[in-house]
Amino acid sequence: MHDDRSLVEARLKRVLEERIRPAVYPESVPLEVAVWHAPDEPVPVAEGLAGTPEPIAVGARWGAPWGTSWFRVTGTVPQEWAGKTVEALLDLGFDENMPGFQCEGLVYRPDGTPVKGLNPRNQWVRIGAPVAGGEEVRLHIEAASNPVILDYHPFLPTQLGDKETAGSEPQYTLTRMDLAVLDENVWNLVLDLEVLGELMAELPVDSARRWDLLRAIEKALDAVDLQDVGGTAERARAQLTAVLASPAGPSAHRISAIGHAHIDSAWLWPLRETVRKVARTTSNMTALLDDEPDFVFAMSQAQQWAWLKEHRPEVWARVKKAVADGRFVPAGGMWVESDTNMPGSEAMARQFVHGKRFFLDEFGIENEEAWLPDTFGFAAGLPQIIKAAGSKWLLTQKISWSQTNKFPHHTFRWEGIDGTRIFTHFPPVDTYNCSMQGREIAHAARNFKDKGVARHSLAPTGWGDGGGGTTREMVAKAARLRDLEGSAAVAWETPKEFFAKAEAEYPEPPVWVGELYLELHRATLTSQAMTKQGNRRSEHLLREAELWAATAAVRAGFPYPYEDLDRIWKTVLLHQFHDILPGSSIAWVHREARRTYERIAAELTTVIDAAQRALAGEGTTPLLFNSAPHSREGVLAGGARTPAVEGETALAPRAGGGHVLDNGILRVEIDARGLVVSAYDIEANRETIAPGRAANLLQLHPDFPNMWDAWDVDEFYRNTVTDVMDAEEVVAEADDSVRIVRSFGTSRVTQVLSLAPGERRLLIETEVDWHETEKFLKLAFPLDVHAERYASETQFGHFHRPTHTNTSWEAAKFEACNHRFVHLEEPGWGVAVVNDSTYGHDVTRTVRGDGDQGTTTTVRVSLLRAPRFPDPETDQGVHRFRHALVPGAGIGDAVREGWRINLPERRVEGAHEVTPLVSVDRDAVVVTAVKLADDGSGDVVVRFHEAHGGRARATLTVGFAFDAVEDVDLLERASADRAAPERDGDRIQLALRPFELRTLRLRRS
């Protein structure tokens, strides 16, 4: 037989596009349209419906950036359409290639009842099926003219990302407002041909099934009268019945489709717009659930559910009913789909506490999965947190974006720093916006790396980010793919159903140990420094507020601010969303975030001050309140007393220029350039700085990645570096510190270096007035240390990374995340670099001479970037950072100094000392939270972990009367798999594994 394959395929493409698809709506009449533009921010539904609209014609421009326009469409169904299916086609000016990234609408009936969302791939509203003819149609559309930020030429700087700079130029052209007849036979023919044509294109050319499909499609096209598509569609479909009925083989890959609409809680739109995106999407999905009995939809992010409950109660009622029916599924058990690299230990725990508790309180549903399809890599401490929250599974997809190395598994057990393992799945479909296209389904089956031992994978299906979620076309395609020869078999299932099946068929999958590092988006560890500082500061202020409010409640009857702390925690958790904390949102988002963090800081400071005053009483005795988990200046952790200060610091001129700081523990030489050329550990008789090198060195790189400006830094940035060495001033100050001033480009840096009495740390306070563009600023510490690996803090512990680049996996980690410290050491002696607000860093090693002169290991902390997309003014302005170099530091010193630099001293005058509510006799056991139980019982909850990476036995001493102690999970529920810890009076004996996380609930008398 002659090979006419290309001829038939080209015929299918043209006939579908030019004849069959246009025949889906064979008859239409225009609707009358009027519009009222809300004057500023979005208005309540009642106000929008009551606005006085003015006529507008199809073809007119509408919609200033970030505006809201209320369209009223009216018309009458023609009598001659009686018995037919009629829909309104409402095109606001959509580009079908941009679902979720442009204008959107929500349709209401005149009484304010929401009908469904309008999106580029979902422009229809059902009027009747069938209609009687003569029906009056009246609909209202709340249309958001969100500007297109990520356009066809992506990453171009734009002022559209903030309402304050976006201007008022109309963004869209009203395109179609019609009533139309829907020919369901033609609609189904389109779906038949799409599914079979897409499947055909994925099958091997020499497979019999491909040719069977080709011949059936050819017969169907022969059966279609192109001048009467509607009249011949049923005849054409009959030619496809047999090939659609041929079942999948027994070894076919199995795909669990889950209705999905990944909605970024903020990104290229502000938080307020996400509230409306959620309402539009959930309106769509509840309507689709009503129409499609097999369909299941899952939505994550408790915050988005809470917005729906607060702002759109009428939609919330429909969602609650669908949840009760088991078909609208709360997923993930987190407050938002947060970044997981940068949130601190307690914040990461509270993501699960607040997320899971919301779903439990509202629906009685406990999530067993963490759902994070789009998060930019996963910290090595996360498995333990997931398990401690009562969950056991993890889903993500983003690791497939890695540029250098292909991850070797799709289903595996992920092992965290403490040994906890979590059953994990990466969907091989490689998208969290699956649309049931044949190429996606075929890719999932081909790409699945666990063939031979497993055959289940998951496909999150639907348009995200306000694109409307799953469409009826996707559901129709899935129905045809349920059991179709040549294709993977598709079935709608909940996340729980998928994970239960996947785990049952693959009980011993491979194990991946350590972080799940994304080889992309590394610059999100640095972009938008003020957002990151606001997060870090808020986390520590919350620790202080809970600690002192709980202490004051137990000791002095202080009213514990349950509701305020709950609200503030949720606000901080929201801002850890994976496009806010990483700095990859528009200017509007980060402008609002800065104001929010300022408000949070003021509110929490008020709580802290009030609690400390209640504890100190009236008096003039100077008291240091120690919020850190280790003793400080003679003050116990969690207590307050008059501090004990020992020693003094000498400041002297340095020969050859500069200054010398000496406190008897360290001797630090700062040369005439303001660079640290020596940091000498007097007791160890050991130099810290590599020979011939200088620390406290600012280095400037060009920073113009190939794409994803705010997200990425590409490795070639290192090819060019400028050392900022010239100083305008290097001045000894009256407080025995050294002040250094430098200028470069259009920016200015002022640093203050100090060495406190009795301390093993050189404190470096840096103020940068930053006005560079597309530059990357780092602070370098070249150290005389030979180390093949280094430690960086992560949640509830630390994680080791190699300093070498033996393999492509190691070379790809050229920018990585730490929390409060990085630490490297030779046996018996080490160095830590600690920070109060930075996350990105890199560590490199070189050998001096031919290797016989030692190794230089350089730690560089990332300070600032200046990308121009999506915020063209990223990081412009004044920034303040605090870092410290800690020579002679063991890992315990790194842990302690990391806490200390993040928790400022608070000094209060009062009448008496404050003893801690709880204290631990081992520095290795770090208390991360002391608080009252969330249920309002007055019980005290204490969370702690082993922080040094070894086993620890310790005694927890309780400083108040209590009846019982329980081991509890993160939600403060008794742990079924743990016995109560051993108690002796007010002492509780602890035995912890390396990095083990524990939470105790002390039931007060």
Side-chain angles (χ1 to χ4, degrees), residues 134-152:
E135 291 94 335
E136 294 297 322
V137 175
R138 184 185 181 96
L139 298 171
H140 298 264
I141 308 166
E142 180 190 14
S145 49
N146 301 331
V148 175
I149 306 294
L150 193 66
D151 213 332
Y152 285 99

Side-chain angles (χ1 to χ4, degrees), residues 169-424:
E169 184 70 21
Q171 299 291 292
Y172 297 100
T173 301
L174 200 62
T175 302
R176 184 177 187 181
M177 294 275 154
D178 289 346
L179 283 179
V181 172
L182 170 68
D183 188 325
E184 296 185 73
N185 274 331
V186 177
W187 185 83
N188 277 297
L189 176 60
V190 169
L191 272 297
D192 290 345
L193 290 171
E194 283 185 354
V195 166
L196 295 175
E198 290 167 5
L199 172 60
M200 179 177 65
E202 299 299 326
L203 294 172
V205 173
D206 58 359
S207 72
R209 176 64 169 168
R210 179 161 182 161
W211 289 91
D212 287 344
L213 297 179
L214 186 82
R215 293 302 163 220
I217 289 169
E218 184 177 37
K219 290 177 181 177
L221 295 176
D222 289 342
V224 175
D225 181 343
L226 299 186
Q227 275 66 53
D228 184 17
V229 174
T232 55
E234 191 170 353
R235 184 174 72 195
R237 292 192 71 203
Q239 300 298 320
L240 304 173
T241 302
V243 289
L244 283 168
S246 183
S251 62
H253 186 68
R254 305 289 173 180
I255 292 178
S256 296
I258 297 174
H260 185 242
H262 174 77
I263 301 179
D264 288 300
S265 288
W267 180 26
L268 304 179
W269 48 86
L271 288 166
R272 66 89 155 145
E273 193 57 31
T274 312
V275 177
R276 302 202 295 173
K277 286 177 179 282
V278 171
R280 297 175 198 123
T281 300
T282 52
S283 295
N284 259 2
M285 294 302 92
T286 51
L288 190 61
L289 288 167
D290 289 340
D291 295 339
E292 302 289 349
D294 294 332
F295 177 56
V296 176
F297 182 77
M299 188 169 91
S300 67
Q301 306 191 74
Q303 171 68 87
Q304 295 187 2
W305 293 71
W307 278 333
L308 200 62
K309 181 181 180 182
E310 178 184 357
H311 296 285
R312 297 294 173 120
E314 66 283 2
V315 182
W316 173 252
R318 290 164 57 178
V319 168
K320 282 195 73 172
K321 181 183 181 303
V323 172
D325 293 340
R327 299 179 57 216
F328 197 121
V329 182
M334 295 175 69
W335 191 246
V336 294
E337 289 182 13
S338 74
D339 180 79
T340 74
N341 285 313
M342 291 175 282
S345 303
E346 272 304 306
M348 200 75 256
R350 305 298 175 96
Q351 285 285 353
F352 287 91
V353 169
H354 287 284
K356 294 194 73 169
R357 188 171 286 142
F358 181 89
F359 293 139
L360 280 164
D361 290 346
E362 295 294 337
F363 309 114
I365 291 173
E366 177 152 12
N367 302 92
E368 294 183 290
E369 76 286 337
W371 184 273
L372 292 164
D374 190 31
T375 297
F376 310 152
F378 298 88
L382 188 57
Q384 179 174 210
I385 298 171
I386 294 173
K387 185 175 181 181
S391 297
K392 58 183 179 181
W393 300 315
L394 169 66
L395 175 130
T396 185
Q397 183 270 321
K398 201 69 170 189
I399 300 299
S400 70
W401 287 39
S402 285
Q403 288 182 320
T404 306
N405 299 285
K406 192 77 171 174
F407 198 81
H409 318 296
H410 281 109
T411 303
F412 59 100
R413 292 200 186 276
W414 177 29
E415 181 177 318
I417 55 175
D418 73 312
T420 296
R421 292 180 176 181
I422 294 294
F423 188 85
T424 303

Side-chain angles (χ1 to χ4, degrees), residues 444-670:
R446 284 195 299 262
N447 188 40
F448 188 55
K449 290 183 168 49
D450 304 295
K451 299 181 187 76
V453 287
R455 61 187 182 120
H456 277 83
S457 72
L458 186 148
T461 301
W463 302 116
D465 285 330
T470 317
T471 66
R472 62 183 178 183
E473 288 78 15
M474 296 175 195
V475 176
K477 283 189 168 186
R480 290 160 172 81
L481 296 169
R482 179 181 292 276
D483 190 15
L484 183 62
E485 182 187 354
S487 171
V490 177
W492 296 105
E493 293 185 308
T494 66
K496 183 174 184 177
E497 289 169 335
F498 162 74
F499 274 108
K501 287 181 179 179
E503 194 167 24
E505 77 168 1
Y506 203 12
E508 296 298 331
V511 176
W512 182 270
V513 179
E515 69 180 332
L516 295 170
Y517 179 91
L518 178 63
E519 297 171 354
L520 193 75
H521 292 1
R522 302 167 181 90
T524 58
L525 303 173
T526 305
S527 297
Q528 297 287 0
M530 288 184 182
T531 299
K532 291 171 170 58
Q533 288 178 325
N535 173 72
R536 180 77 71 85
R537 186 183 184 198
S538 297
E539 288 181 351
H540 287 86
L541 285 169
L542 276 161
R543 169 194 173 83
E544 290 188 85
E546 288 183 338
L547 169 65
W548 299 122
T551 306
V554 173
R555 294 278 164 68
F558 181 79
Y560 191 80
Y562 289 101
E563 293 183 1
D564 290 339
L565 291 173
D566 179 80
R567 171 179 49 79
I568 294 170
W569 261 118
K570 288 173 179 174
T571 302
V572 172
L573 298 178
L574 166 59
H575 286 79
Q576 291 177 342
F577 179 75
H578 65 253
D579 277 307
I580 304 179
L581 179 55
S584 46
S585 289
I586 55 173
W588 190 346
V589 174
H590 292 289
R591 172 171 57 81
E592 287 189 331
R594 290 191 291 272
R595 294 174 183 171
T596 298
Y597 286 130
E598 289 171 1
R599 185 179 69 251
I600 286 171
E603 208 171 343
L604 290 174
T605 300
T606 298
V607 172
I608 294 164
D609 289 347
Q612 290 179 341
R613 285 196 301 271
L615 286 164
E618 296 296 329
T620 58
T621 301
L623 301 172
L624 170 65
F625 277 78
N626 181 15
S627 303
H630 308 93
S631 295
R632 181 176 187 165
E633 297 182 29
V635 183
L636 292 175
R641 60 169 294 176
T642 302
V645 179
E646 298 179 0
E648 60 182 22
T649 298
L651 174 61
R654 174 180 177 271
H659 306 274
V660 178
L661 293 167
D662 190 333
N663 66 358
I665 299 171
L666 298 179
R667 184 173 66 249
V668 176
E669 295 187 30
I670 303 162

Side-chain angles (χ1 to χ4, degrees), residues 651-654 658-661 670 729-740 752-753:
L651 174 61
R654 174 180 177 271
H659 306 274
V660 178
L661 293 167
I670 303 162
E729 297 180 31
V730 181
V731 180
E733 298 287 288
D735 61 355
D736 293 331
S737 64
V738 176
R739 181 169 59 88
I740 303 141
V752 176
L753 277 57

Side-chain angles (χ1 to χ4, degrees), residues 669-685:
E669 295 187 30
I670 303 162
D671 71 6
R673 303 168 298 176
L675 301 178
V676 176
V677 292
S678 174
Y680 196 78
D681 182 342
I682 295 171
E683 180 182 357
N685 193 28

